[in-house]
């Protein structure tokens, strides 16, 4: 028996151990669950270390002698102060640096790509469009506008504002319905993957 | 030092990263690149810290012989085995990769595959058309569910030369009302993200720094 | 009176039957609905959608020797949906003699990336370093995406196996988005949106994405505006792409099971609602009596 065959048998056993939860909670499931947490954490931490510490800090600083990377390592080390309640405040410098940097480059990009370009895409281009396209474009315009009215909380939703926001809710419900349909699709696909493994891959590897 | 210092640092870094979007200045661009590099190291260290916390949690459970401590031994055993396997062999081959291929990957995949059963159960027991909007949600869901699989192509009616199938209706739902819904939410969330980001840079929003900041 | 009582009892039993089904029976039925079509295929026809065709054509339009970026932005939890897309895309790329710079923004991604890359490269006789390179995992996706617009070598000073990227021939030719005509991300999260915002928005990078079904529904607005050149949605998207490539894989093989499971879930919703309405009517009648 080679390593791949042994691995496939083990993978099938663990797959069944996880599926056993469907009957009820049991020690096989709990063993598999805890092993998964441990192995995953071990797998991740190796990649965290080799990418963040070796690749992005040690290699550029000590091999390429790019000293501009040194502050990154120091900021990273500040995170370790979180391990003690008394020194936790030191890590705030690293957190503030990280979150503020993200905020800084997020603002222009989000405004441009998630707001302005989307508004541009909602304005109907009616010249030369087919009747179907015109209807579609108008539905899009009404939908986006009424949903934004629904999210407008600076005034009480009464009268026209209430009617418009109710149209917005209708669009949102259709959107949630589509999400629900796709969610079912995604979950079923994951099950198909495991059954393909159990019913097709395992017998193939075992020569059944 | 404990409260204002981090906010001042955040303000300076935030402004630098904001300004770089609008200027081709070489010095600013070089510092922008530095900040991006440093950010990756900080993020990586944060993740390592998360694994250290997981280790300490299970270690405490074992040392205090708390209920289920035996399972914590399994977790710590798995964690340490992977670290030593990567150190002794390599992260690209040997037991480290074997454990990923035959232990972690199949179990993680199965864990999420369980959700198919729960979604089926919830469909039977929870999804009720209690009112107009709920009925609309369910109808759209059912059309998309059937319309987005090969079976949906086969269910439909022929009007003249045109075959209108569930797949056609499903595509229309996705292209128009669904798109409007997703875009409306996207614009709203985009504006919300921007407002929060501005509040973070100017120091109004500090909750992310933890208690007492 | 006796007839009415009998009818009430019968309707009560029906309500009981419809509303109190053991969840394990539902689990068993759904398992059969997925397993049986895998063992006894129906071969339902798969018709490519407009979005999948656009995804295919974006790759098809490239010339031999062009370099693409391929980002494996997922972990084993969604590999059933996304691995067929990754493998099909890599086969398409290598079949066209495109060169691939691969990376992942997920710590659980390297194992998946290596497996797919090695399989496709072996099938088409491609060599690491010249035909493809795997850069590995980098923490902080947004900084990675932005930094790659300036320099891939600086973003990844070494590749996955710790080889300095400055020494890799492929990266000497292609070192930023400016040198790369197409970026592909196969993702289980909002990372497709972030590639669009940062690589697409800031650097004008052309992008196509493979998405889980859950994520695909959120991506339509970007496709309509042209920020996204094409996309695949869920296992069905993978099947459509396999059909276009004429390389059947696990996507197409899974479509019968997918259809049957969806049909069954629709039936569950209908039966559940019939039970609900009967129960509501019985409660109203009981109240009236």
């Amino acid at each position: 028996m080679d390593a791949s065959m042994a691995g496939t048998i083990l993978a099938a056993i663990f797959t069944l151990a996880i599926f056993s939860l469907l009957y009820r909670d049991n020690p096989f499931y709990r063993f598999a669950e805890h092993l998964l947490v441990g192995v995953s954490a071990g797998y991740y931490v190796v990649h965290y270390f080799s990418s963040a510490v070796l690749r992005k800090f040690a290699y550029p600083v000590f091999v390429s002698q790019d000293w501009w990377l040194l502050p990154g390592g120091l900021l990273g080390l500040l995170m370790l102060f979180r391990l003690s309640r008394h020194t936790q405040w030191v890590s705030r410098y690293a957190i503030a640096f990280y979150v503020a940097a993200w905020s800084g480059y997020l603002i222009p990009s989000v405004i441009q790509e998630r707001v302005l370009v989307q508004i541009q895409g909602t304005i109907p281009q009616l010249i030369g469009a087919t009747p179907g396209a015109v209807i579609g474009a108008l539905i899009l315009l009404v939908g986006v506008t009424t949903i934004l009215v629904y999210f407008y909380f600076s005034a009480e939703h009464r009268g026209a504002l209430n009617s418009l926001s109710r149209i917005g809710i209708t669009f949102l419900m259709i959107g949630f319905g589509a999400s629900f349909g796709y969610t079912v699709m995604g979950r079923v696909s994951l099950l198909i993957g495991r059954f393909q493994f159990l019913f097709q891959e395992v017998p193939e590897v075992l020569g059944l | 030092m404990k409260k204002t210092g981090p906010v001042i640092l955040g303000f300076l870094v935030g402004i630098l990263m904001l300004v770089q979007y609008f200027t081709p200045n070489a010095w600013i661009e070089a510092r922008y690149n530095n900040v991006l590099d440093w950010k990756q190291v900080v993020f990586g260290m944060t993740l390592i810290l998360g694994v250290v916390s997981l280790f300490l949690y299970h270690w405490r459970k074992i040392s205090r012989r708390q209920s289920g401590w035996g399972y914590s031994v399994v977790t710590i055993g798995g964690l340490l085995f992977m670290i030593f396997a990567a150190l002794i062999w390599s992260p690209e081959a040997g037991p480290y990769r074997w454990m990923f291929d035959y232990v972690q990957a199949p179990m993680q995949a199965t864990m999420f595959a369980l959700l198919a059963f729960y979604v089926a159960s919830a469909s039977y027991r929870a999804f009720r058309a209690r009112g107009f909007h709920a009925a609309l949600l369910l109808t759209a869901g059912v059309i998309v569910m059937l319309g987005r699989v090969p079976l949906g192509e086969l269910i439909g009616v022929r009007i003249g030369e045109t075959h209108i199938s569930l797949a056609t209706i499903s595509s229309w739902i996705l292209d128009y009302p669904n798109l409007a819904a997703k875009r409306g939410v996207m614009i709203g969330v985009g504006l919300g993200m921007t407002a929060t980001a501005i509040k973070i840079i100017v120091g109004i929003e500090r909750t992310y720094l933890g208690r007492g900041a | 009176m006796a007839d009415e009582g009998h009818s009430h009892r019968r309707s009560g039993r029906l309500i009981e039957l419809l509303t109190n089904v053991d969840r394990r029976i539902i689990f068993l039925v759904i398992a059969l609905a997925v397993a049986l079509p895998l063992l006894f295929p129906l071969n339902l026809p798969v018709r490519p959608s407009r979005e999948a065709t656009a995804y295919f054509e974006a790759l098809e339009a490239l010339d031999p020797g062009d370099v693409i970026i391929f980002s494996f932005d997922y972990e084993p939890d969604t590999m059933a949906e996304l691995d067929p897309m990754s493998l099909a895309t890599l086969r398409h790329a290598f079949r066209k003699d495109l060169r691939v710079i691969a990376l992942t923004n997920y710590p659980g991604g390297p194992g998946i990336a290596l497996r797919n890359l090695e399989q496709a490269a072996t099938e088409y006789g491609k060599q690491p370093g010249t035909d493809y390179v795997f850069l590995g995992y980098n923490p902080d996706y947004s900084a990675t995406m932005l930094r790659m617009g300036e320099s891939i070598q600086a973003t990844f000073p070494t590749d996955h196996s710790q080889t300095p990227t400055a020494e890799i021939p492929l990266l000497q030719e292609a070192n930023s988005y400016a040198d790369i005509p197409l970026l592909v991300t196969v993702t289980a999260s909002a990372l497709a949106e972030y590639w669009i915002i940062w690589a697409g928005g800031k650097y004008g990078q052309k992008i196509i994405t493979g998405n889980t079904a859950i994520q695909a529904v959120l991506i339509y607005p970007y496709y309509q505006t042209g920020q996204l050149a094409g996309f695949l949605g869920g296992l069905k998207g993978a099947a459509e792409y396999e059909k276009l490539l004429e390389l059947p894989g696990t996507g197409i093989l899974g479509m019968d099971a997918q259809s049957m499971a969806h049909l069954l879930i629709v039936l569950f919703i209908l039966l559940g609602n019939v039970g609900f309405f009967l129960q509501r009517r019985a409660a109203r009648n009981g109240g009236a009596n």
Side-chain angles (χ1 to χ4, degrees), chain B residues 176-195:
Chain B
Y176 297 106
N178 165 68
L179 196 153
K182 299 297 185 277
R183 181 169 286 162
V185 173
M186 185 190 287
I187 293 172
V189 171
L191 292 171
M193 283 168 88
T194 308

Side-chain angles (χ1 to χ4, degrees), chain A residues 43-115:
Chain A
Y43 187 83
Y44 295 157
V45 80
V46 168
H47 286 298
Y48 297 152
F49 187 81
S50 73
S51 57
V53 180
L54 296 181
R55 175 197 286 161
K56 292 298 299 190
F57 176 69
Y59 180 83
V61 172
F62 301 118
V63 179
S64 305
Q65 303 196 326
D66 180 357
W67 303 109
W68 274 106
L69 270 292
L70 199 58
L74 297 176
L75 278 164
L77 284 176
L78 295 187
M79 284 309 297
L80 297 179
F81 284 89
R82 283 200 83 73
L83 289 169
S84 161
R85 200 178 301 163
H86 303 290
T87 58
Q88 250 182 14
W89 65 270
V90 181
S91 68
R92 282 183 191 159
Y93 281 89
I95 298 171
F97 163 80
Y98 183 87
V99 176
W102 176 81
S103 302
Y105 62 70
L106 176 117
I107 295 168
S109 297
V110 163
I111 286 286
Q112 176 62 28
E113 303 299 319
R114 284 186 70 145
V115 179

